[in-house]
Amino acid sequence: MAENLWNIEKIPYVGTESLRQGLGFRYYDADRVVAGKTMREWLRFGVAYWHTFEQRLVDPFGEGTASRPFDSYSDPMDRALAKIDYSFDFYTTLGVDYFCFHDRDIAPEGDTLRETNAMLDKVVDRIEEAQKATGVKLLWNTSSLFTNRRFVSGAATSPFAEIYSYAAGQVKHSLEIAKRLGAENYVFWGGREGYENLWNTDLKREQDHIARFFHMCVDYAQEIGLDAQFMLEPKPKEPTSHQYDYDAATSIAFLQSYDLADKFKLNLEGNHANLAGHTYQHEIRVARAAGMLGSLDANQGDKLLGWDLDEFPSDLYETTAVMWEVLAEGSIGPHGGLNFDAKPRRTSFTAEDLFRAHIVGMDSYAAGLLVAARMHEDGYIEDLLADRYSSFGSGIGASIEDGTATLASLEEHSLDIPQADLVAATTSDHLECVKATINNYIVDTLGRA
Ligand code: XUL
Ligand code: CO
C-alpha cells in the first residue's frame, strides 16, 4: 500500500490548549475510555466514499471547485483504482476504522450489467487487498439505484418492469460484494423510491413491489450466508417530492406491515431528520423505542438553506443529544457507526479541507460523547424523567400501566375530583432551566476536557 499520498502526517490528538482548530484533534482521543468503552468503540467513525472522493463540490448554480490529488488521471478505470489507494491512505492518516460506498462510486459503468460487474469486481479486488493491508473495515455498502437515467422513475418502485429487474440484478451483485468485503451492515436508501405526482402513481402497487424486492434481498442474503445488518435510510423528499421512507416512524410502519421488521433496522441521518421537520434526536428516539436503531449518517443541515446540504457536523448541542441517546442505548446499534455522509462547503475546496472537515466532525462527536457521558453519570435527565412520570408508580397510575384499569375504573376514580386538585396534579417542567442545564453541561464539561 502506497503511503502519504496526501502529503499529510497522521492526524494527532493535540488536546485543548489552542483555541484555533488545525490538523489535530482537540477531543477525539481514540483510546480514551469514556463510560466504560474507548472513544473509538463508541463512535466507530466511517468515511463516505461518495462525498470524500467523488464529490466535486458543485451546487445548482456552479461547477465543482474541488481540487483533489487524483484529478490528473484521465482513464476512468485507472482513476478508479488509484482512488482506492488514496482512500485507504486517507482513512489511516485520519485514523478512522470504517468506510462506506455505493457500487457506482467506486467503478465506472459499462454498457451492460455484465460489463459493469466485471469492472466493479476489479476495483473490489483492490479494496480487498487494501482492507487486508490496513485493517480498515466496511461499515456498509449500498447500491446506487438513482443516479443513472434509467432510474428516472425509481428502481424497485419504478412503473417499468425492465428497470425493476435490472435493479434487482444490480443489488444481487452488491450483496455478493458485501459478503466478500465483510460488510457489517447493508443500506437501502430509496434514492428515487417515491413519487413526483400522485395522479399518475399507484402508491399501493409500488409499495407492494418494493416490499417484494426487500424480501428477495433477505432471501438472497440467507442463501449466500451474508449476515450484514440490513437497514433502511429514511428521507422525506429530495430527489422526489415524496419519498416512501419519509421518516423513522413511516419506515418502521412500512417494515412492520410487510413482515420485514425483524430483518431491518434504520440508518438515520441528521439532515434528513430536519427535512422531515424533526430533530435528529427525535428520529433516533423513535427508532430506539421500536428497537430499530441501526446506524447513523452524521451530518447537519443549515437553517437558512432548505435542502439536503450534508454539512459536516459541528453543532455541539446536536452531537450531545445524539450521543446521549447512544449512551442510553448502549451502542449506536448492533453494528452501527457514525458515517460522515457529509461534504465540505464549496468554498472549502482544497484536499486538506477534507481532513479539516472530518476532524471537525469527529471532534464534535467526541465532545458530544464527553458531555453526554457526564450527564448520564449525574443522572440529570434520568432523575428528571423519573420525577415527571412518578404518578404512574403507584395508585391509579400503576393500574393504568399494569393493564388493570378500565374506562369504568378511571371514571369512578375521577368523577368527584375538583378542578383545583386536578390542576394541582400537574407541575411545571421548568423547561427553560432544562435547556440551560444542558448548556451548562456542555460549557463545563468541555471547559475541563
Ligand atoms: C442521500 C443519502 C445517501 C445514502 C446512501 O441523501 O443520504 O447518500 O446515505 O445512499
Ligand atoms: Co445518508
Side-chain angles (χ1 to χ4, degrees), residues 62-378:
E63 62 189 11
T65 57
S67 160
R68 302 290 179 252
F70 36 76
D71 286 345
S72 55
Y73 286 88
S74 52
D75 176 74
M77 204 51 197
D78 288 349
R79 184 183 164 96
L81 290 168
K83 267 167 49 176
I84 298 303
D85 294 348
Y86 277 95
S87 69
F88 276 82
D89 193 41
F90 187 88
Y91 310 143
T92 51
T93 300
L94 188 62
V96 297
D97 296 329
Y98 294 94
F99 68 111
C100 301
F101 67 87
H102 302 79
D103 47 5
R104 297 297 165 261
D105 304 334
I106 60 170
E109 284 206 57
D111 189 42
T112 62
L113 185 55
R114 191 184 301 281
E115 284 171 22
T116 300
N117 285 348
M119 287 195 274
L120 187 54
D121 287 343
K122 268 196 199 154
V123 181
V124 171
D125 289 343
R126 181 76 71 107
I127 293 182
E128 199 174 14
E129 281 166 35
Q131 279 188 242
K132 279 196 189 118
T134 59
V136 175
K137 294 175 287 246
L138 183 55
L139 184 63
W140 51 262
N141 63 316
T142 183
S143 204
S144 168
L145 303 177
F146 45 90
T147 315
N148 190 287
R149 63 175 292 183
R150 64 182 159 262
F151 299 123
V152 58
S153 298
T157 62
S158 171
F160 311 114
E162 283 300 342
I163 304 305
Y164 185 106
S165 170
Y166 187 101
Q170 191 179 326
V171 167
K172 174 177 176 288
H173 200 60
S174 268
L175 295 175
E176 290 157 5
I177 290 169
K179 162 94 181 157
R180 196 173 150 197
L181 298 180
E184 300 198 12
N185 305 275
Y186 187 90
V187 164
F188 296 88
W189 169 57
R192 289 180 197 277
E193 314 292 23
Y195 59 77
E196 291 297 336
N197 194 295
L198 207 44
W199 289 112
N200 66 6
T201 301
D202 189 336
L203 179 143
K204 171 78 166 62
R205 199 167 182 183
E206 292 196 358
Q207 295 206 327
D208 288 351
H209 286 177
I210 196 169
R212 180 78 204 98
F213 190 94
F214 289 142
H215 275 288
M216 287 191 248
C217 293
V218 167
D219 292 347
Y220 190 62
Q222 208 162 14
E223 191 181 321
I224 64 173
L226 170 65
D227 59 5
Q229 172 66 57
F230 278 5
M231 300 191 285
L232 286 192
E233 183 175 323
K235 184 175 182 180
K237 55 189 167 195
E238 201 188 297
T240 67
S241 56
H242 177 93
Q243 302 264 137
Y244 289 134
D245 299 330
Y246 193 93
D247 60 1
T250 313
S251 303
I252 292 166
F254 166 83
L255 291 168
Q256 286 170 345
S257 41
Y258 284 100
D259 197 21
L260 288 159
D262 59 335
K263 301 288 192 264
F264 281 75
K265 295 200 183 293
L266 301 182
N267 182 43
L268 299 168
E269 179 165 325
N271 207 160
H272 294 181
N274 301 155
L275 289 175
H278 303 311
T279 61
Y280 201 4
Q281 185 180 19
H282 167 94
E283 289 291 86
I284 297 170
R285 185 73 68 85
V286 168
R288 285 185 58 212
M292 298 288 266
L293 178 60
S295 195
L296 298 173
D297 269 8
N299 66 15
Q300 66 184 29
D302 182 323
K303 287 192 191 76
L304 303 180
L305 298 170
W307 71 90
D308 192 18
L309 282 185
D310 291 336
E311 284 188 3
F312 274 87
S314 59
D315 177 344
L316 296 176
Y317 201 90
E318 184 164 273
T319 61
T320 295
V322 169
M323 291 315 298
W324 190 91
E325 298 294 329
V326 168
L327 284 158
E329 187 67 16
S331 70
I332 296 177
H335 308 281
L338 282 164
N339 167 49
F340 288 112
D341 193 347
K343 55 179 182 274
R345 298 296 287 146
R346 191 167 179 269
T347 47
S348 295
F349 47 72
T350 69
E352 194 187 85
D353 284 317
L354 288 173
F355 287 91
R356 291 180 183 274
H358 281 85
I359 292 166
V360 169
M362 292 164 77
D363 258 349
S364 300
Y365 268 96
L369 170 63
L370 291 172
V371 178
R374 176 111 177 270
M375 285 170 62
H376 277 292
E377 207 177 282
D378 290 359

Side-chain angles (χ1 to χ4, degrees), residues 407-445:
L407 286 186
S409 73
L410 297 177
E411 183 198 42
E412 172 64 23
H413 176 85
S414 300
L415 270 177
D416 301 314
I417 301 182
Q419 169 68 3
D421 290 3
L422 290 173
V423 171
T426 68
T427 52
S428 168
D429 59 8
H430 312 306
L431 187 56
E432 292 71 19
C433 289
V434 175
K435 292 182 184 175
T437 303
I438 294 169
N439 285 348
N440 297 342
Y441 271 102
I442 294 174
V443 171
D444 192 73
T445 308

